[in-house]
Amino acid sequence: MKLGGYANRVARVDLSSGEIAYEEINEEDARLYIGARGLGVKYLFDNGPTVESDSPDNMLAFMNGPLTGSQATMSGRLAVVTKSPLTQTITDSHIGGWSAARLRWSGFDGLLFVGKSDKPVYAYVEDGTVELRPADDLWGEGVHSTVEKLRDRYGSPLSVMTIGQAGENGVRFASIINEDDRAAGRGGTGAVAGFKNLKAVVIKAEEAMPRPQDREKWRTAHQRALKTILDSEVLAPRTGGLSIYGTNVLMNPVNALGGVGVRNSQETQYDAAEKISGETVRETLLSSDPTCHACPVACKIEVEIKDGPYAGLKMESLEYEPAWALGANCDNDDPRVIAKLIDQCNDYGMDAIELGNVISMYMEATQREYVTGAGLGWGDTEGMVETAEQIALRSGIGDQLAEGTTRGADKFGHPEIAMAVKGQAVPAYDPRALKGEALGYATSNRGACHLRGYTPASEVLGIPVKTDPLAWEGKGELLKIFQDLHAFSDSLDLCKFSAFSEGAEEYAAQYEALVGQPITADEVMTVGERVYNLERHYNNLCGFDGSDDSLPERYLTETGSGPASESVVELDEMKAEYYAARGWEDGVVPNSKLRALEIIS
Amino acid sequence: MVEVKFYATLRELIDGNKSVSVEGAVTVSGLLENLIERYPNLQGGIFDEDGNIRSFVAVMVNGRDIRHLEGIDTALQGGDTLDIFPPVAGGSQSESMATSVSIRGLPEWLIREYFVELGGAVPDKTQPLNQIVSDRWSVTWSQQKVKIKGSSGMGLTQFDIVIEGTHESPQQIMELFMKKAQRGGG
């Protein structure tokens, strides 16, 4: 392949036979889909969209982009791409830290796992080779002790991406955790690894950044991108809101909009939001603010619990999403307990957003007397910690809840209390208060998700322009632009935060200088659109259509609180506007669109 | 007689009309008073609680923002045309010779660079920092700090940008600028 930047090497690991083949990257695919999310989805697509998620045929891809591990700011990212056991759609989940960079430095753009090992193994990656090594002594261990054992064994510099007990036990929302506390959180990637008996991916590599094809252009492109970050009032190190407080700086402003779901979205404004906000956490619990490869923002919030039943716990990172899911959503106003629950998620390897929703669903089932037995009351923090453990170990009620919010509610006979779309639970922006997010949840290709198209940038912060969060008109077009832009940055793979300060021009300039392939800002948006449509096409071939672009009934019929007290979601109107902007027919990509985007010839 | 055109959401405040004719007004101030008598809902759409024109509402006389004229004291003559833009983004789709947008998240130097890349002249030191001029259009902006509601931890600078065109539709320049200025996050 002529394109620079890439390692031009992917390992295809057949866990059934133990065979490992090394491949170059198809240049045409690299031009069309770039890398990470885009190229990962293409590998999954070529592997066949109709494979069962829990079959050896499903592929689990760890994919870097051409910028991963480079000098580019915020480039410590990779995408884990697979068919989700939670949603049965394509899914991709991104991870920060250093594993992505080390994977690139060890000589790989990606690792593709297929098949199923008959015994637990882990993949050891070093100097352009992959070996499968027995993991019998690690199986049954949590993330923290797995990482510790492997670090003792191999020394540094080492990165470990591993599953905990949740992945081993097939919890449908199990995550893959990177270096103790960074998660490829959503979609159940950890359950796929567990099914394959793949405990971990271990990477040993010294820094070896890819060299830009055009060093002059790179200097200009890199400096401009970096300067936008350093001058960003959102991101700037030590002064930007996200740098100082982390993502949980959003708790108060979203609550002010009436967008913080309380007690499983029965209300949308939380009296105790301040107690679990980024401001309070910084004041009372913060111990450090770690960062990822090539990132000056350092948004991670490491905390130390000084008192109460979890005194002595040191963990990262207390983010907005879990603070909502395990806090307001469950009527738990104690940030120390939120920290404990997130650490459980990190150690068992589970998605904190789904866990919060499955617990709040269980709490509502208890409130409405749908459960036999004592159930779990709102704000019962000890019960939450116990339930989290039961889920990871699939013991007692945990076995039912380990199936996820949608399946768990079905088993109670009350699907209406599952706040989920396509089987994946909602994140921390109530759809009634932010209509762009409502549409984003409904149409996301991986089930409810705030990161496919992050409209709160516009609806809460006014970046790049302020839109009325309660208005639905125009959100279809707005969402499409956000989704396409993010699909491109996810394919580079740069952190989502980069998009607060960089746009298509900055992405194009960095790609062009590093890879040596000209690209315009318009082409950046077209690539993003292509990736988004390939995902949608994959899902269409699995049987998904417009009827699956839905929302829980509650958001369509019950109003919220505060500024959202008169608001329900105008879903049909928004979907019509969105499909028109996308050129889709009832949620299905027509062949003409697939051809126009060069997805099919 | 002066013709006043309204855009986007402001039209809802004047019973869905696109424009209104006003007789006898000699200043913008007098004209707005006249309009509010006829359409009381306009009060909140145009003025803030202190009686000032809301910061992101743009009032143009013959395509010029009154902020760059005499403000609400700007004199009017028969045959003048006014454009009133609401506090929304993305520019308007009107045939007007001016268009406006309010953006956040971009530093001022980058706004300047973007407009230079769109054909504006590299500003020399005598020019104001908030202006880029080409031979077909000119752009100016003002800035203000906005507080994010509910947050003690975040404030953002907003740039209220006005593009005026002479030979070329300012909407086209705005569209190209907004492509450059598109951001996301997450």
Side-chain angles (χ1 to χ4, degrees):
Chain A
M1 184 175 77
K2 281 185 294 219
L3 302 183
Y6 297 86
N8 196 22
R9 189 174 175 85
V10 170
R12 193 179 286 265
V13 182
D14 185 335
L15 290 160
S16 299
S17 67
E19 276 174 37
I20 299 168
Y22 300 100
E23 300 172 4
E24 294 190 353
I25 288 190
N26 179 294
E27 185 166 330
E28 180 70 4
D29 288 345
R31 285 175 199 271
L32 290 173
Y33 299 104
I34 309 294
R37 175 173 164 189
L39 207 49
V41 172
K42 182 66 164 69
Y43 278 119
L44 260 289
F45 183 80
D46 291 344
N47 188 54
T50 54
V51 299
E52 297 292 327
S53 62
D54 56 347
S55 88
D57 295 337
N58 193 9
M59 178 184 275
L60 182 66
F62 294 76
M63 289 300 303
N64 278 339
L67 262 57
T68 302
S70 73
Q71 192 190 9
T73 309
M74 298 192 189
S75 64
R77 307 285 292 184
L78 66 73
V80 184
V81 190
T82 194
K83 183 165 192 174
S84 163
L86 195 61
T87 62
Q88 307 302 324
T89 64
I90 188 94
T91 198
D92 65 291
S93 193
H94 295 245
I95 226 169
W98 275 266
S99 295
R102 291 213 173 95
L103 180 63
R104 176 64 185 80
W105 301 341
S106 73
F108 285 104
D109 299 310
L111 309 173
L112 312 174
F113 293 95
V114 292
K116 176 179 179 165
S117 176
D118 53 9
K119 284 184 178 159
V121 293
Y122 65 91
Y124 182 80
V125 182
E126 188 174 8
D127 283 339
T129 60
V130 180
E131 279 179 42
L132 294 176
R133 298 185 177 174
D136 306 86
D137 62 323
L138 302 173
W139 204 256
E141 298 280 342
V143 167
H144 297 327
S145 63
T146 301
V147 170
E148 194 181 344
K149 281 187 178 182
L150 289 164
R151 284 211 174 119
D152 286 348
R153 194 172 302 167
Y154 294 111
S156 62
L158 196 78
S159 275
V160 176
M161 295 183 275
T162 186
I163 59 171
Q165 295 93 336
E168 297 173 6
N169 294 330
V171 174
R172 283 188 190 266
F173 51 93
S175 309
I176 295 172
I177 308 286
N178 165 20
E179 292 153 3
D180 273 319
D181 30 40
R182 313 290 170 87
R186 307 224 73 191
T189 57
V192 176
F195 175 82
K196 291 182 178 300
N197 273 320
L198 178 67
K199 177 69 178 177
V201 174
V202 181
I203 308 159
K204 188 154 199 188
E206 299 279 353
E207 183 175 297
M209 292 197 197
R211 289 163 68 100
Q213 291 296 290
D214 186 328
R215 300 182 76 166
E216 267 316 295
K217 269 191 189 164
W218 174 257
R219 198 170 299 128
T220 311
H222 172 57
Q223 286 303 326
R224 173 145 141 177
L226 178 60
K227 198 162 183 294
T228 65
I229 291 167
L230 298 179
D231 287 347
S232 161
E233 292 164 309
V234 180
L235 301 171
R238 310 271 170 240
T239 58
L242 283 170
S243 180
I244 299 175
Y245 301 101
T247 51
N248 202 15
V249 71
L250 287 160
M251 180 65 74
N252 283 325
V254 176
N255 197 49
L257 296 176
V260 168
V262 185
R263 288 184 283 280
N264 206 37
S265 303
Q266 295 184 81
E267 296 145 51
T268 69
Q269 215 168 30
Y270 193 42
D271 295 343
E274 179 66 34
K275 288 173 77 174
I276 57 172
S277 68
E279 288 87 336
T280 303
V281 168
R282 181 177 171 82
E283 226 167 80
T284 59
L285 299 174
L286 182 76
S287 65
S288 174
D289 49 1
T291 192
C292 302
H293 162 75
C295 183
V297 177
C299 70
K300 296 292 132 196
I301 301 296
E302 185 179 293
V303 303
E304 189 171 356
I305 309 302
K306 298 176 189 88
D307 50 11
Y310 312 114
L313 172 67
K314 206 168 177 178
M315 60 74 64
E316 72 165 86
S317 171
L318 215 160
E319 305 282 337
Y320 173 54
E321 286 294 335
W324 166 74
L326 298 160
N329 180 44
C330 296
D331 201 359
N332 161 28
D333 64 5
D334 188 338
R336 299 167 305 176
V337 181
I338 294 170
K340 170 64 183 174
L341 288 157
I342 297 170
D343 191 58
Q344 284 182 296
C345 286
N346 290 344
D347 200 31
Y348 291 127
M350 290 191 286
D351 175 22
I353 299 176
E354 192 76 30
L355 178 69
N357 278 282
V358 86
I359 289 178
S360 67
M361 181 276 292
Y362 181 38
M363 288 170 158
E364 185 171 348
T366 305
Q367 172 197 322
R368 297 187 188 280
E369 299 179 358
Y370 299 155
V371 301
T372 49
L376 188 62
W378 297 113
D380 176 353
T381 54
E382 270 177 50
M384 289 175 76
V385 170
E386 193 186 324
T387 305
E389 181 179 322
Q390 287 180 312
I391 290 170
L393 304 179
R394 276 192 178 270
S395 65
I397 187 69
D399 192 42
Q400 175 181 342
L401 302 181
E403 291 292 294
T405 309
T406 297
R407 291 175 180 82
D410 284 351
K411 283 203 180 170
F412 285 126
H414 288 278
E416 74 281 2
I417 60 171
M419 297 303 117
V421 179
K422 301 185 182 80
Q424 179 161 287
V426 298
Y429 304 84
D430 193 279
R432 288 160 291 193
L434 292 95
K435 298 293 167 63
E437 278 295 80
L439 185 64
Y441 293 176
T443 62
S444 156
N445 287 331
R446 67 166 190 171
C449 173
H450 60 298
L451 293 172
R452 303 290 91 174
Y454 188 71
T455 60
S458 167
E459 296 179 295
V460 181
L461 301 176
I463 295 174
V465 290
K466 184 78 174 74
T467 52
D468 178 355
L470 290 171
W472 67 266
E473 296 93 340
K475 294 292 165 67
E477 285 175 27
L478 182 82
L479 180 67
K480 175 188 182 291
I481 293 169
F482 274 72
Q483 286 173 337
D484 291 348
L485 185 66
H486 290 154
F488 187 85
S489 63
D490 279 349
S491 300
L492 282 177
D493 181 338
L494 296 183
C495 175
K496 281 271 175 4
F497 276 15
S498 66
F500 279 120
S501 74
E502 300 176 47
E505 299 241 338
E506 286 71 31
Y507 293 146
Q510 291 173 84
Y511 171 86
E512 183 168 322
L514 199 88
V515 175
Q517 169 75 13
I519 192 168
T520 65
D522 282 344
E523 285 164 349
V524 161
M525 299 307 288
T526 302
V527 170
E529 186 179 9
R530 180 181 299 125
V531 170
Y532 211 84
N533 277 267
L534 178 65
E535 294 170 350
R536 174 58 60 142
H537 182 46
Y538 180 108
N539 290 348
N540 290 154
L541 295 173
C542 298
F544 288 89
D545 60 25
S547 65
D548 300 293
D549 291 338
S550 62
L551 285 174
E553 191 67 16
R554 173 162 292 167
Y555 300 133
L556 310 180
T557 55
E558 297 173 26
T559 55
S561 331
S565 61
E566 308 278 310
S567 176
V568 292
V569 178
E570 300 89 344
L571 185 61
D572 290 340
E573 293 88 336
M574 283 199 287
K575 276 171 66 177
E577 192 189 72
Y578 174 77
Y579 290 159
R582 280 256 173 245
W584 292 351
E585 293 160 5
D586 190 28
V588 177
V589 193
N591 281 337
S592 56
K593 187 83 188 169
L594 292 170
R595 268 192 295 275
L597 290 167
E598 301 176 75
I599 291 170
I600 59 173
S601 52
Chain B
M1 192 182 74
V2 173
E3 193 188 10
V4 188
K5 296 182 190 167
F6 289 85
Y7 298 93
T9 49
L10 287 180
R11 289 177 182 167
E12 293 162 20
L13 307 180
I14 55 165
D15 303 340
N17 295 314
K18 290 180 180 174
S19 64
V20 177
S21 297
V22 179
E23 297 272 9
V26 293
T27 62
V28 170
S29 166
L31 176 129
L32 292 175
E33 273 172 31
N34 179 319
L35 282 169
I36 286 166
E37 272 176 33
R38 286 160 68 181
Y39 303 103
N41 289 340
L42 269 181
Q43 175 75 37
I46 296 181
F47 291 100
D48 64 20
E49 287 159 3
D50 301 327
N52 299 313
I53 290 187
R54 288 173 62 182
S55 55
F56 351 163
V57 169
V59 180
M60 311 272 183
V61 176
N62 300 329
R64 292 273 293 160
D65 193 313
I66 59 168
R67 278 173 291 199
H68 307 303
L69 301 169
E70 306 297 319
I72 56 170
D73 297 321
T74 301
L76 297 175
Q77 295 178 347
D80 282 350
T81 302
L82 267 82
D83 296 281
I84 304 185
F85 296 94
V88 294
S92 88
Q93 297 303 308
S94 80
E95 296 304 311
S96 165
M97 297 309 280
T99 183
S100 67
V101 69
S102 297
I103 66 162
R104 302 176 194 171
L106 271 66
E108 189 172 21
W109 61 265
L110 191 59
I111 294 171
R112 213 176 292 131
E113 279 190 27
Y114 283 165
F115 280 112
V116 168
E117 288 167 12
L118 289 170
V122 179
D124 64 38
K125 284 188 178 145
T126 63
Q127 278 175 281
L129 285 171
N130 64 336
Q131 183 186 60
I132 296 285
V133 178
S134 88
D135 52 3
R136 305 177 75 80
W137 49 263
S138 70
V139 56
T140 58
W141 57 86
S142 55
Q143 56 176 285
Q144 58 173 314
K145 200 84 173 175
V146 288
K147 219 171 143 332
I148 303 302
K149 193 180 163 197
S151 171
S152 56
M154 265 209 277
L156 292 172
T157 303
Q158 173 171 298
F159 293 92
D160 301 320
I161 297 173
V162 178
I163 305 177
E164 293 174 69
T166 49
H167 296 76
E168 196 167 355
S169 160
Q171 282 79 14
Q172 277 176 359
I173 296 299
M174 181 63 86
E175 203 175 297
L176 293 170
F177 172 74
M178 285 312 297
K179 272 191 183 182
K180 288 172 174 284
Q182 182 59 47
R183 293 295 184 270

